[in-house]
Amino acid sequence: MLSYRYTLRETTQNLQRNLQLATATIITVGVSLTMFGGFSLFQTAVDGATKRWADGIEFVIWMNVDTTEEADKHIRRMLENSPEIADWHYKDQEETYKEFKEIVAGNEEILDIVEQEILPPSYRVAPIDNDVDIVQELGDQFKGQPGVRTVTFAGEAIRDIQDLAQRSGRVLFIGSVILLGASTLLILNTLAIAISNRQREIEIMRIVGATKWFIRLPFMLEGLVQGVLGAAIAMVSNMLLRTYVIDRFGQTDAIQLLSGFKVSDAALLRTNLTVLIIAVIVSVIGSGFAVTIYLDDDN
Amino acid sequence: MIRFENVTKVYKGDVVALRGASVDISKGEFVFLVGPSGSGKSTFIRLINRENIAEHGRIFVAGRDIGDLNSWKVPYLRRNIGYIFQDFKLLHKKTVWENVAFALEVIGKPRHVVRHQVSAIIDLVGLSHKQDRFPNELSGGEQQRVSIARAFVNRPLILLADEPTGNLDPKTSVEIMRLLERINDTGTTVVMATHDSSIVNRMRQRVVELNRGMITRDQARGVYQ
């Protein structure tokens, strides 16, 4: 039978005895998970802002709301017959409204005044060659066609943002993986010291008949507490990052391309839950290895 | 209570610590293990609570072959075996009371049981007035009494003592032996390894002598020689 009071007391004492190393571990876990969370949040924000330009879509043909069937068929024929177009798909008003809601998620004022009926349907076009000049020339063929309201292009800026997000995301991801590896080793090291400091207690526990898990549990919990406290730092950092950095980008009027650059509450919650799960996994691996290696008990 | 059947224990480097040992110890017996250093006394004791595992032969404790015991069952075997060390092995950051209580807490005994049993055993070893002291505030004899209290607090069937008077002066050793006799009187089987001839000769209990890992003498009401 486990004594929860005993286990909690021992876990707390272990943390207090090793306070400096435990603090270093918690901060490292926190920093690595903040990097991971930041990577995830920026990726979400960039995906949101460039949503309609994903999957090689280089230009959008916006149709009039009251386009005739004949005009619509004409555009489809042009798309089907063009040898320079790799793929295209049609978004009706319902799908456009759904996409619009995702882009302006959380902005109730805009959602209140915009209705599905006023949003135009569109064709999303992915050319074979995405050279800027070729794309421009191809898109211009649709301008002025019957039923076409306008044609918009992804342009180099969008591609640059996507590339930048991808590259910086990769750096953040690799950095966070390396730091998470370091965190695992730090947790292992902290517990190795805790176990070494308590050799005599452990010996007595074995002699008087404490079970393997009774001996292991306070150390496992110590590792878990370090991981969860690190995750708490990362979760708070992620919230601050969302509020003071990402959302501010999205609100700025100076950079039009970044409108829609935001992270919804649901996405933040998802990221923070992922951070917490990773912290638990890292601490279980670190402490699991520590008790297996350093407690060295076959009984 | 304890039966060794042709037990051999070999350590790394082919060091034979115990060679074909056979012995039968009944419930409530007091047995001295004697012999020179390296004769296998400590190995004999460690085999009983399965700190060591024999290479050959069988060991029965309370009718059970402990060689067949699953490793997860070993802690439950040890709850029936008290262990006293020559160097006491007390926890220096815990008081007398906490040291004794520790043995019950770590096997998950409820708080009211811990409170009751610890107070009773500290009273038995005569340290009630010093229960809040730390080990470094006690004499060697008192520390050994705490160690005995910790070993006996769970009322084990067997008490193993590895040179418990090795670090004590003769007068204190006698006090410790009186305490072990009182515990033995409750029906607890006591197996004690010792070099102390005066104690063995005075108590006239069963003596099992080991030499180079072999049992060379097993004598009821024996002497040290």
Side-chain angles (χ1 to χ4, degrees):
Chain A
M1 192 176 79
L2 286 176
S3 163
Y4 300 107
R5 188 186 298 269
Y6 168 84
T7 307
L8 285 176
R9 190 185 70 205
E10 292 302 306
T11 304
T12 311
Q13 280 178 3
N14 281 351
L15 283 165
Q16 284 170 346
R17 281 179 199 171
N18 254 337
L19 194 60
Q20 285 167 319
L21 196 53
T23 307
T25 308
I26 291 165
I27 291 171
T28 310
V29 173
V31 170
S32 54
L33 288 175
T34 301
M35 283 178 76
F36 178 83
F39 148 74
S40 177
L41 293 179
F42 269 108
Q43 208 64 52
T44 305
V46 169
D47 286 350
T50 61
K51 193 175 178 59
R52 65 175 60 131
W53 308 111
D55 303 325
I57 302 298
E58 292 287 347
F59 64 92
V60 178
I61 306 163
W62 298 99
M63 307 299 287
N64 291 321
V65 174
D66 54 355
T67 300
T68 61
E69 199 176 327
E70 189 53 39
D72 211 42
K73 276 184 182 166
H74 173 65
I75 296 298
R76 281 172 193 260
R77 265 199 305 274
M78 281 183 75
L79 289 165
E80 276 161 8
N81 294 335
S82 172
E84 289 172 280
I85 291 171
D87 194 18
W88 61 271
H89 61 269
Y90 179 72
K91 269 193 190 292
D92 61 15
Q93 285 181 299
E94 191 183 339
E95 285 178 276
T96 307
Y97 186 63
K98 204 172 145 195
E99 182 186 75
F100 176 77
K101 280 200 292 188
E102 285 173 22
I103 291 172
V104 299
N107 196 334
E108 297 301 325
E109 286 172 22
I110 292 180
L111 279 172
D112 281 349
I113 55 171
V114 175
E115 289 175 359
Q116 184 176 313
E117 290 67 34
I118 65 166
L119 292 172
S122 61
Y123 290 95
R124 311 291 165 99
V125 186
I128 290 170
D129 191 338
N130 58 3
D131 178 86
V132 176
D133 293 335
I134 294 174
V135 171
Q136 186 73 41
E137 197 181 318
L138 196 56
D140 285 346
Q141 292 173 15
F142 293 89
K143 282 184 180 171
Q145 294 293 336
V148 173
R149 182 177 180 177
T150 183
V151 177
T152 54
F153 296 88
E156 282 181 86
I158 292 287
R159 292 289 166 243
D160 286 348
I161 287 174
Q162 285 179 329
D163 283 351
L164 182 68
Q166 213 167 30
R167 274 191 221 134
S168 55
R170 214 172 290 151
V171 170
L172 276 175
F173 183 74
I174 292 169
S176 64
V177 167
I178 291 169
L179 276 175
L180 281 171
S183 305
T184 310
L185 289 175
L186 264 173
I187 288 174
L188 192 149
N189 202 24
T190 313
L191 295 190
I193 290 171
I195 290 167
S196 158
N197 285 342
R198 299 188 59 202
Q199 274 306 323
R200 174 163 283 194
E201 278 175 73
I202 292 165
E203 184 184 1
I204 299 298
M205 287 165 91
R206 283 186 183 145
I207 291 291
V208 300
T211 58
K212 185 191 279 188
W213 278 104
F214 196 97
I215 298 170
R216 287 179 169 198
L217 199 62
F219 296 109
M220 299 285 289
L221 263 181
E222 185 187 343
L224 191 64
V225 167
Q226 289 172 7
V228 170
L229 287 179
I233 291 176
M235 288 194 277
V236 171
S237 305
N238 287 340
M239 281 194 270
L240 296 175
L241 193 67
R242 197 274 294 256
T243 310
Y244 294 104
V245 181
I246 296 174
D247 281 2
R248 294 235 169 135
F249 269 135
Q251 286 160 6
T252 178
D253 292 332
I255 314 168
Q256 273 300 308
L257 285 169
L258 294 179
S259 62
F261 194 77
K262 62 172 59 130
V263 173
S264 65
D265 288 342
L268 179 65
L269 182 67
R270 216 168 30 241
T271 300
N272 278 346
L273 275 177
T274 308
V275 158
L276 185 62
I277 290 167
I278 291 174
V280 169
I281 291 171
V282 162
S283 50
V284 166
I285 291 174
S287 51
F289 269 116
V291 295
T292 307
I293 296 168
Y294 298 106
L295 282 176
D296 186 32
D297 50 349
D298 57 346
N299 291 327
Chain B
M1 180 58 67
I2 301 166
R3 192 163 83 244
F4 276 46
E5 286 182 359
N6 203 24
V7 173
T8 296
K9 171 66 191 172
V10 183
Y11 288 115
K12 277 180 191 163
D14 291 336
V15 178
V16 182
L18 212 58
R19 197 189 302 264
S22 293
V23 72
D24 205 334
I25 298 170
S26 303
K27 184 177 186 304
E29 266 198 286
F30 196 121
V31 179
F32 285 115
L33 292 175
V34 300
S37 296
S39 59
K41 303 188 296 292
S42 295
T43 298
F44 188 100
I45 283 181
R46 282 202 288 266
L47 284 166
I48 296 171
N49 77 341
R50 237 189 78 153
E51 271 189 273
N52 285 345
I53 298 172
E55 268 69 35
H56 302 289
R58 298 165 80 188
I59 299 169
F60 293 86
V61 174
R64 178 144 208 182
D65 185 348
I66 62 169
D68 288 343
L69 215 55
N70 283 331
S71 64
W72 68 268
K73 286 183 179 168
V74 171
Y76 300 96
L77 165 77
R78 290 181 181 163
R79 290 176 192 188
N80 289 310
I81 302 172
Y83 205 122
I84 304 165
F85 306 88
Q86 180 176 356
D87 60 352
F88 324 131
K89 292 202 191 300
L90 298 179
L91 305 171
H92 294 286
K93 288 181 179 167
K94 292 186 189 290
T95 63
V96 167
W97 203 95
E98 288 166 344
N99 262 283
V100 179
F102 185 72
L104 294 179
E105 284 177 335
V106 299
I107 58 171
K109 293 278 182 187
R111 279 218 298 169
H112 69 276
V113 173
V114 173
R115 258 199 305 268
H116 177 259
Q117 286 186 216
V118 172
S119 298
I121 198 73
I122 289 179
D123 197 32
L124 178 79
V125 300
L127 286 175
S128 296
H129 60 298
K130 292 189 176 179
Q131 66 174 18
D132 295 324
R133 300 268 181 95
F134 287 92
N136 60 3
E137 297 169 327
L138 303 175
S139 69
E142 287 169 335
Q143 288 189 51
Q144 192 57 290
R145 279 197 266 164
V146 179
S147 170
I148 291 170
R150 182 180 63 194
F152 194 58
V153 69
N154 197 30
R155 306 285 164 161
L157 300 170
I158 299 165
L159 194 63
L160 304 174
D162 195 356
E163 312 253 10
T165 59
N167 285 353
L168 305 175
D169 61 67
K171 185 171 171 285
T172 311
S173 297
V174 169
E175 287 171 12
I176 292 299
M177 291 315 297
R178 281 202 191 116
L179 192 52
L180 291 180
E181 269 188 305
R182 283 180 66 187
I183 288 172
N184 181 233
D185 288 343
T186 65
T188 303
T189 307
V190 179
V191 179
M192 173 174 156
T194 185
H195 277 123
D196 195 329
S197 57
S198 62
I199 284 174
V200 177
N201 293 340
R202 189 168 52 247
M203 287 184 66
R204 300 302 298 261
Q205 298 281 6
R206 181 178 171 186
V207 174
V208 173
E209 184 171 348
L210 288 158
N211 204 332
R212 292 184 180 178
M214 292 200 292
I215 294 177
T216 54
R217 178 165 61 107
D218 186 350
Q219 186 181 18
R221 300 185 59 75
V223 291
Y224 193 87
Q225 287 188 341

